[in-house]
Amino acid sequence: MPMIISLVPFLKSAIKQMFIDILERLRKKIDENDEKLAQSAKEEILTFYEDHKEKIPEELQGVTKKAFEVLADLVYSIIDHADDAAGLLTEVAKIIEVI
């Protein structure tokens, strides 16, 4: 039993370091891919509109297209700001390091 108790601080430290490493990897992945994902999502929304615009009454197509453009810009912005969230992951990792 004393051997198991003596391993607890080591295990706690190892698990904490693994968690920090995982958060850092996630931050890097998000940072590398957020703009690509944002652009892809924006294009997908605009393509969706183009694929379905014939179902929209002609007199509403202009305003509907503008609504889709605004939605596409909003989604782009949200995804593009994922790097801010990735930065928060790094801060969480720093806090965990101190604990």
Side-chain angles (χ1 to χ4, degrees), residues 1 7 15 26 29 34 38 51 58 66 70 76 78-79 82 88 92 96:
M1 187 70 151
L7 287 176
I15 290 170
L26 287 172
K29 287 276 187 198
D34 64 333
D51 292 347
E58 197 172 313
K66 186 64 180 168
V70 169
Y76 178 94
I78 290 168
I79 295 171
L88 288 174
V92 167
I96 290 169

Side-chain angles (χ1 to χ4, degrees), residues 3-18:
M3 185 173 182
I4 293 173
I5 292 173
S6 67
L7 287 176
V8 170
F10 170 76
L11 290 174
K12 181 180 171 187
S13 176
I15 290 170
K16 191 186 315 182
Q17 188 58 48
M18 288 185 332

Side-chain angles (χ1 to χ4, degrees), residues 12-13 15-28 84-99:
K12 181 180 171 187
S13 176
I15 290 170
K16 191 186 315 182
Q17 188 58 48
M18 288 185 332
F19 190 63
I20 290 167
D21 291 348
I22 289 168
L23 289 175
E24 185 61 26
R25 282 184 184 184
L26 287 172
R27 185 199 63 76
K28 285 179 183 175
D84 295 336
L88 288 174
L89 288 177
T90 302
E91 293 305 314
V92 167
K94 288 177 186 175
I95 292 168
I96 290 169
E97 241 176 339
V98 173
I99 295 175

